[in-house]
Amino acid sequence: MLGIRGLHALTFRGLDLLTFRGLNFLAFRGLHTLSFRGLHVLAFRGLHALTFRGVHILAFRGVHALTFRGLHVLAFRGLHVLAFRGLYILIFRGLQVLVFRGLHALAFRGLHVLTFRGLHVLAFTGLHVLAFGGLHTLAIRGLHVLTFRGLHDLTL
């Protein structure tokens, strides 16, 4: 044990401890921890964790996660997920999904879909479809079709 002006160190059979003015460090068989003024860090066999003032970060074998005041973020091999107060966003290999208070949106390789309180919209390489209540519209390459409660209209 060593103690010099606030610095304290101890080593014993692979265990290493060090403290200095609020900084605490521990190392033991691949486990490393550090704490300093509200910052806490842990590393162990590929797992890394950090917490500081409400921010929590975790990394392990390509998985990364973050939480902060209701915000949650996850990233793993091209998959990205974000959640915050009812808003959810997912991104994965060209697929994008958004969900927020009854609004649902999806985009994937030219396909776009949106739904919100009875409104449904679909768009796909020149094809556009809209449905709301009894109103339905379809548009594709100059052809336009509209139906409304038994009424049909076709324009070329």
Side-chain angles (χ1 to χ4, degrees):
M1 174 94 178
L2 171 69
I4 303 173
R5 295 187 182 181
L7 172 65
H8 301 282
L10 169 81
T11 62
F12 180 72
R13 294 187 180 175
L15 171 66
D16 299 317
L17 296 170
L18 178 105
T19 63
F20 181 68
R21 296 184 181 174
L23 170 67
N24 301 297
F25 177 77
L26 176 139
F28 182 69
R29 296 185 181 173
L31 170 67
H32 297 81
T33 65
L34 178 134
S35 65
F36 182 68
R37 296 184 181 174
L39 169 67
H40 303 279
V41 180
L42 178 137
F44 181 68
R45 296 185 180 166
L47 169 67
H48 298 81
L50 180 142
T51 65
F52 182 68
R53 295 185 180 175
V55 178
H56 306 279
I57 300 171
L58 179 112
F60 182 67
R61 295 185 179 169
V63 178
H64 298 81
L66 176 139
T67 64
F68 178 67
R69 294 185 181 175
L71 169 66
H72 304 276
V73 180
L74 173 89
F76 177 67
R77 294 186 181 173
L79 169 66
H80 297 80
V81 181
L82 180 139
F84 183 68
R85 295 183 182 173
L87 169 67
Y88 300 92
I89 298 173
L90 179 139
I91 301 169
F92 182 66
R93 296 183 181 170
L95 170 66
Q96 300 167 359
V97 179
L98 180 137
V99 177
F100 183 68
R101 296 183 183 171
L103 169 67
H104 300 80
L106 178 141
F108 183 68
R109 296 184 182 170
L111 170 66
H112 297 80
V113 179
L114 182 135
T115 64
F116 182 68
R117 295 183 181 171
L119 169 66
H120 304 278
V121 179
L122 180 138
F124 182 69
T125 57
L127 169 68
H128 298 83
V129 179
L130 180 138
F132 182 69
L135 173 67
H136 298 82
T137 65
L138 179 137
I140 183 169
R141 297 185 183 166
L143 171 66
H144 301 273
V145 179
L146 180 135
T147 65
F148 182 69
R149 295 185 183 165
L151 172 68
H152 303 285
D153 184 27
L154 171 72
T155 58
L156 294 170

